[in-house]
Amino acid sequence: MNVDLPAGTRNYSYAKDMAIFRTRAHWALLLSLLVFVFTAPLYWGNYWLGVANLIGITIVAATGLNILTGYCGQLSIGHAGFIAVGAYTSAVLTNRFEWPFLVGLIAAGLVAGLIGLVFGIPSMRVKGFYLAISTIAAQFIIIWVINHWTGVTGGFTGIRVPPASIGGITFVSQASQFYLIMAITALTVFFAKNLARTRVGRAFVAIRDNDLAAEVMGINLFRYKFMAFFVGCFLAGIAGSLLAHWTGFMNAENFTFMDSILYIGMIIIGGSGTAVGPIFGVISIRMLQQGVMFISPMLEGSFLDLPAGFTTGIGPMVFGLVIVLFLILEPRGLAHRWALFRTSYRLWPFSY
Amino acid sequence: MDELLQFAITGVTVGMVYSLIALGFVLIWKSSGVANLALGQLVLLSSWFTYGMLVQAGLPLWLGFPLVILFSLALGWMIERFILRPLIAQPILSLITVTLGVAYFIEGAVSFIWPKSVAALPRIFPQEVVRIGTAVVSQEYLWAAAISLVLFILLSLYFKYNKMGVVMRATADDQLAIQACGIPVTKIFSRSWMLACMLAAIGGILMSSIGGITFGLAETGLKAFSVVILGGLDSFLGAILAGPIIGLAESLGGGYLTPLTWPGIREVIPFIIIIIVMFVKPYGLFGEPRIERI
């Protein structure tokens, strides 16, 4: 029994069965979502557009991590490092060499992907914790290189990044960047959703679930693990490039080890190994950050005897707690809750 | 030549503290198969707690240190009981990421309670420098090495003669067999977490008596990972021997490579070693290669 469909809907051809959007209601929902997102600048203020831009960029990065960790099972705790590679590639190319933004964007993805491959090589021989450690090492080595290769990256003082421009259009205001970022985010999500449904995506899942069995069935581990690393880090690089052009200024403080952990937290909370997981996870974590930012000055104002580190400390404490609680209470993340809700909604008022 | 001896002595002694911290990791890994990535944050937290006891509460050393040890034991017990136990038999990915969540929480808690980024412990060890040959070494290093050495010996005696220690080794060897003998494995997990947190606390006190308390201490814990990777994840001997090697590489590399490359190379040498070991001998010097049979 297929409960993915509303009661009474049947598929009569394979193409129909495989379609992502199967009913008119699906299409209507998708269209209204797209219309809502792309008209958002008309009624959202600049501040919330900025938040939405950050969310969009983070969704791209988290989708990359989700392909690598959620689908293929290769835990990467150095994602912020790979994002940094992309950000700096794009920043250096557009600032120092004055290349166009699009070239910088693609180059950012490619360079981050290649660096990801280098640090992914150990995944051929080791897995699990060993690989996690090698990605931690990647994080620290990358940030060290960025901080000290002053001739190119500007080192600790950072580097200015010109705003993105395609053709004659320059994306300066939050609203114009919003369109650019949302377009790329939508493309990324669409790509990730479809990747998971192809031969490659199924090979990733097979490797995650049991790499030995996958290899016996003829899946080339070498090739697919490399592919996962490349795609995951490519998307990290794209996200990094967007981030660089969005903020206009880069230094390595934006890409700490703690951020890497936060990205993992996002896909855990959202539900790793699902297409909607990163979206849920990123939105919840970023909104939680907004909430913490909003609430802590208020608390500090009303309770004078709060410790001085309240504002800086409360955020990480909440996020750490949320990650731990999700792993214990709902390891399949919000995406699972969403699926449960959807199923019961579709079957309503019947119960199976 | 004077420098060489100097670098070697400081490197080896600091490396022995790394070994101490790394032993805590190996302990948990062997007994329960959990990779504790919160190691650095445990070191950080217990150093700050020591600061809180000795400086902020003004307790004397004889009272402060036992309190720190008790605190670390309680911390280890709590982490195991409330966070790891509900996750028994979950995939390794969850087990690794949950410790990352713990790390994040502790990092937040530390900056919540102790918003200062730098502090110093009161002088625990005598002040006079010691001359060894041409090298001038401050006594903290030697004390750190001596205390680590004593703890290595105590631990190996514990694992050899104490009943609990023997059971812990047995659990590492075969969990199922131990359960069949009627020994509650969860108790072993709990003990190994307590012991690991205690080692992290002692390591933290030793490190912060050498270099003060900074957020860099969390990275000290990460350097301990390079020790376990080099020594082999499941080898106590590997951890003990690899620590001084890492410390030595860090100190010599920091001393001699800095003029040749960029400053701060000292901080990334352990991570470069991790990558090299991953490429050349992924299971470390003494680790047992994982052979999978179908």
Side-chain angles (χ1 to χ4, degrees), chain A residues 1-6 22 26 339 342-343 346-347:
Chain A
M1 185 199 67
N2 184 359
V3 288
D4 283 347
L5 282 177
R22 283 182 264 197
H26 272 157
R342 233 173 24 175
T343 313
R346 278 171 185 162
L347 294 179

Side-chain angles (χ1 to χ4, degrees), chain A residues 75 77 118-119 121 125-127 129-130 133 137 140 144 148-149 258 261 264 307 309-310 313 316-317 320 327-328, chain B residues 25 35 37 41 87 96-98 101 104-105 107-109 111-112 222 225 233 262-264 268 275 278-279 282-283 292:
Chain A
L75 183 58
I77 316 182
V118 172
F119 288 104
I121 291 176
R125 297 174 67 184
V126 295
K127 58 186 181 187
F129 171 72
Y130 286 94
I133 289 292
F140 281 95
W144 177 74
H148 291 94
W149 197 4
M258 284 288 140
I261 299 179
I264 293 184
F310 184 76
M317 277 175 78
L327 275 167
I328 293 174
Chain B
F25 178 92
L37 291 183
Q41 277 70 19
L87 288 174
I96 296 177
T97 42
V98 81
Y104 217 91
F105 180 81
E107 187 115 351
S111 54
F112 185 97
L222 293 172
F225 294 138
L233 270 191
W262 299 314
V268 286
I275 295 293
M278 284 291 172
F279 278 104
Y283 294 102
E292 292 183 75

Side-chain angles (χ1 to χ4, degrees), chain A residues 166-191:
Chain A
I166 300 174
I169 315 160
T170 311
F171 300 89
V172 183
S173 70
Q174 289 288 1
S176 62
Q177 289 190 331
F178 179 82
Y179 286 111
L180 175 73
I181 290 168
M182 282 306 145
I184 293 179
T185 307
L187 276 179
T188 307
V189 172
F190 183 69
F191 166 76

